[in-house]
Amino acid sequence: RAEALARAREGGVVRLLLPAIDKESNERLFALAREAKDICCPMMGLHPTSVADAANNEREMAIVERLLADPDHHFVAVGEVGIDLYWDTSRRNEQIEVFETQIAWAREVSRPAFSLSPK
């Protein structure tokens, strides 16, 4: 990781956007942002491929909402958000619901919503 960050800096990269995935990966996200705060910019959200059943989504989204509201965290965007049906189409409606909620939160916290689009 240190070598990858060094190569990025040497190559002229000034910002790396770090998308959130789910609660299981948050600490790794925060650790990288702390380690390389000069270049790494964390985002917070629930990645569409981590959307699951209603109970899980409720727990995950409560964490996202709490972290977005925490003034000690400085997220540059809400993300990664979106609809991702490439691997699994069975959670389409759940992904739409989570996506719409995160778009509303992005507006509330005056941050952009970040999504990667397939080519």
Side-chain angles (χ1 to χ4, degrees), residues 4 10 19 26 72 81:
E10 290 165 9
N26 283 347
D72 291 335
V81 302

Side-chain angles (χ1 to χ4, degrees), residues 18-23 25-27 29-30 41-47 60-61 63-69 73-81 102 105-106 109 111-114:
L18 306 178
I21 305 299
D22 56 29
K23 70 180 183 312
S25 62
N26 283 347
E27 189 47 47
L29 169 78
F30 299 149
C41 302
M43 298 182 276
M44 179 46 56
L46 179 60
H47 192 279
E60 290 278 355
M61 293 293 279
I63 293 167
V64 171
E65 184 177 32
R66 179 179 51 78
L67 288 169
L68 285 172
H73 290 283
H74 304 285
F75 300 111
V76 298
V78 177
E80 177 179 346
V81 302
Q102 292 182 106
W105 289 345
V109 297
R111 296 286 184 273
F114 179 84

Side-chain angles (χ1 to χ4, degrees), residues 42-108:
M43 298 182 276
M44 179 46 56
L46 179 60
H47 192 279
T49 60
S50 294
V51 170
D53 61 82
N56 180 73
N57 295 343
E58 188 175 323
R59 286 188 300 272
E60 290 278 355
M61 293 293 279
I63 293 167
V64 171
E65 184 177 32
R66 179 179 51 78
L67 288 169
L68 285 172
D70 185 341
D72 291 335
H73 290 283
H74 304 285
F75 300 111
V76 298
V78 177
E80 177 179 346
V81 302
I83 309 297
D84 186 337
L85 304 175
Y86 183 79
W87 301 107
D88 181 6
T89 60
S90 68
R91 300 286 185 195
R92 181 182 182 277
N93 291 337
E94 292 87 346
Q95 284 189 26
I96 291 170
E97 182 180 326
V98 166
F99 177 62
E100 289 174 343
T101 299
Q102 292 182 106
I103 294 298
W105 289 345
R107 288 184 181 126
E108 288 175 17

